[in-house]
Amino acid sequence: MRIAPHILHVAQPVEGGVARVVTDLVAAQLAAGLRVSVACPRGGTLAYDVRELGGRTLLWDATRAPGHRLPAEVRRLAWLVREVRPDLVHAHSAKAGLAARLAVRGALPTVFQPHAWSFEAAHGVMARLAVGWERYGARWATRVLCVSEAERRTGHRSGVSARWHVIPNGVDTRVFRPDGERARTGPGPLVVCVGRLCRQKGQDVLLAAWPEVVREVPRARLVLVGDGPDAERLRRVAPPSVQFAGATQDTASWYRAADVVVLPSRWEGMALAPLEAMACARPVVVTDVDGAHESLPPGLRPTCLVPSEDPGALAQAVTALLGDEPLRAALGAQGLTHVLDAHDLRRATGAVTDLYRELLGLDAARVGGSDEGRKCTTT
């Protein structure tokens, strides 16, 4: 009797987009008959969701940023790898990618998925150190898995020489879908921004743009959905027309209630929020960072794509959409069709499973590959 391959996912973020991707992969891989474990810190939603799916969780008590605890974190992870004896390690985001590659050092097939590059979040010496590590650490990644061609190009331009694989993000179109009449949450048009409240997601840029939006559309309201380290600072500068909804598992309801969904990120690999919003047939405005161009259908790019850190351009795009209901409906319909065609979750998770099959040298019968998952690129 053949034993199914054992996949160990390693993640430091335990909520938000990275946790969502890991949870979706675990669900698909368990359904395909794989054995799956997840090493992550306590707290957040990730460990609970994985256990609910029937996966195994392992406590890896790691901080978000590198620091004096890193050697102990690497030792703990190396011990976990020896204990569970996975066939393949899949490390998600910068911290897990750092620790996992140091712990495994090429002894097992290792997939590193940046979920946006660490050096884009840093400045000065720290940025140079992060680039230096990614260049060096690439030798211990059997594949570096990017969620967009733009993310791969950013790594390549920064001198990271890797065996690349690109699989665009997908969303669960059974959860994120149009749902009849749009819910009304109050008077006036509603703009929604879903994301961790942090510098990366650029909510401060949106708040800088918001007074101009309200001047043009006086009854407009903005809801920031999420929590994070910048929450208190953002609350202090937000006007009364801005609501902080906090973190929620039910982001789909906010997308459906919105007239426009905005994500003003400073950097990304390929953000999930715009894909989720389009799956709910809502128009989006996103900044032109890695993955944004690829995540939008061509018909949306002239209207919905704006420069990063440009409050004026952001305000102009949001205002234009709020003032044109037929255009919003048309863009929402185009976005929905695009997500169904190119970003369905089953396609993305199937492609990851196919990558595992390739790296483990196994046939599709042993690693549940899917024809949904064939669209990807390797370099």
Side-chain angles (χ1 to χ4, degrees), residues 182 190-193 254-263 273-286 296-297 300 303-305 317-318 320-336:
R182 188 164 59 85
L190 178 63
V191 176
V192 170
C193 176
W254 283 110
Y255 293 131
R256 295 185 192 114
D259 291 283
V260 177
V261 175
V262 181
L263 189 66
L275 297 175
E276 293 167 350
M278 288 189 290
C280 294
R282 309 315 306 145
V284 299
V285 174
V286 297
L296 298 177
L300 269 67
T303 304
C304 301
L305 202 59
V318 172
L321 284 177
L322 291 179
D324 193 335
E325 185 173 358
L327 177 60
R328 294 199 305 270
L331 295 178
Q334 289 181 50
L336 172 59

Side-chain angles (χ1 to χ4, degrees), residues 20-323:
R20 173 79 61 77
V21 169
V22 175
T23 302
D24 287 340
L25 287 173
V26 169
Q29 290 161 15
L30 288 171
L34 300 179
R35 294 177 295 149
V36 184
S37 299
V38 176
C40 63
R42 66 185 83 236
T45 60
L46 177 57
Y48 174 82
D49 290 342
V50 168
R51 288 193 295 269
E52 285 290 294
L53 291 168
R56 181 183 181 186
T57 60
L58 309 165
L59 177 60
W60 179 54
D61 198 9
T63 59
R64 181 173 284 269
H68 70 280
R69 293 180 54 185
L70 178 62
E73 293 166 351
V74 172
R75 287 194 298 272
R76 168 65 177 171
L77 191 54
W79 183 86
L80 289 173
V81 170
R82 290 194 298 271
E83 282 294 299
V84 303
R85 301 176 65 185
D87 296 290
L88 181 146
V89 173
H90 188 158
H92 299 264
S93 77
K95 183 59 178 290
L98 170 61
R101 284 179 286 175
L102 286 172
V104 177
R105 299 191 184 220
L108 293 169
T110 303
V111 176
F112 168 50
Q113 188 165 354
H115 297 278
W117 292 103
S118 59
F119 47 79
E120 295 187 285
H123 302 279
V125 173
M126 290 303 297
R128 291 193 292 274
L129 288 172
V131 169
W133 157 251
E134 294 298 352
R135 291 171 177 170
Y136 186 80
R139 70 190 62 198
W140 290 324
T142 316
R143 291 289 187 278
V144 174
L145 174 57
C146 294
V147 294
S148 65
E149 283 290 343
E151 184 180 46
R152 183 196 64 78
R153 288 193 298 268
T154 294
H156 181 73
R157 283 196 306 268
S158 299
V160 180
S161 179
R163 288 156 289 188
W164 303 100
H165 204 84
V166 178
I167 301 174
N169 270 336
V171 297
D172 190 343
T173 54
R174 297 165 298 182
V175 174
F176 298 98
R177 67 186 192 279
D179 193 17
E181 291 296 317
R182 188 164 59 85
R184 301 304 307 183
T185 60
L190 178 63
V191 176
V192 170
C193 176
V194 176
R196 188 167 183 263
L197 303 183
C198 61
R199 184 175 181 274
Q200 177 191 0
K201 300 300 182 179
Q203 289 94 348
D204 58 320
V205 181
L206 179 53
L207 290 181
W210 190 245
E212 179 61 27
V213 176
V214 173
R215 276 193 291 272
E216 297 295 324
V217 188
R219 299 177 69 201
R221 297 169 298 124
L222 170 62
V223 176
L224 302 183
V225 181
D227 202 354
D230 289 356
E232 287 306 313
R233 180 176 64 83
L234 294 171
R235 288 178 189 272
R236 287 196 297 269
V237 301
S241 56
V242 177
Q243 174 187 345
F244 288 78
T248 178
Q249 291 280 74
D250 184 20
T251 55
S253 293
W254 283 110
Y255 293 131
R256 295 185 192 114
D259 291 283
V260 177
V261 175
V262 181
L263 189 66
S265 301
R266 287 181 166 89
W267 68 88
E268 294 283 357
M270 177 181 282
L272 288 175
L275 297 175
E276 293 167 350
M278 288 189 290
C280 294
R282 309 315 306 145
V284 299
V285 174
V286 297
T287 46
D288 193 4
V289 295
D290 281 0
H293 191 273
E294 295 167 58
S295 70
L296 298 177
L300 269 67
R301 294 168 192 163
T303 304
C304 301
L305 202 59
V306 300
S308 180
E309 299 195 78
D310 188 336
L314 186 62
Q316 184 177 6
V318 172
T319 299
L321 284 177
L322 291 179

Side-chain angles (χ1 to χ4, degrees), residues 1-27:
M1 179 177 177
R2 295 182 298 183
I3 299 176
H6 184 184
I7 309 302
L8 174 62
H9 292 274
V10 184
Q12 194 286 325
V14 290
E15 54 195 0
V18 173
R20 173 79 61 77
V21 169
V22 175
T23 302
D24 287 340
L25 287 173
V26 169

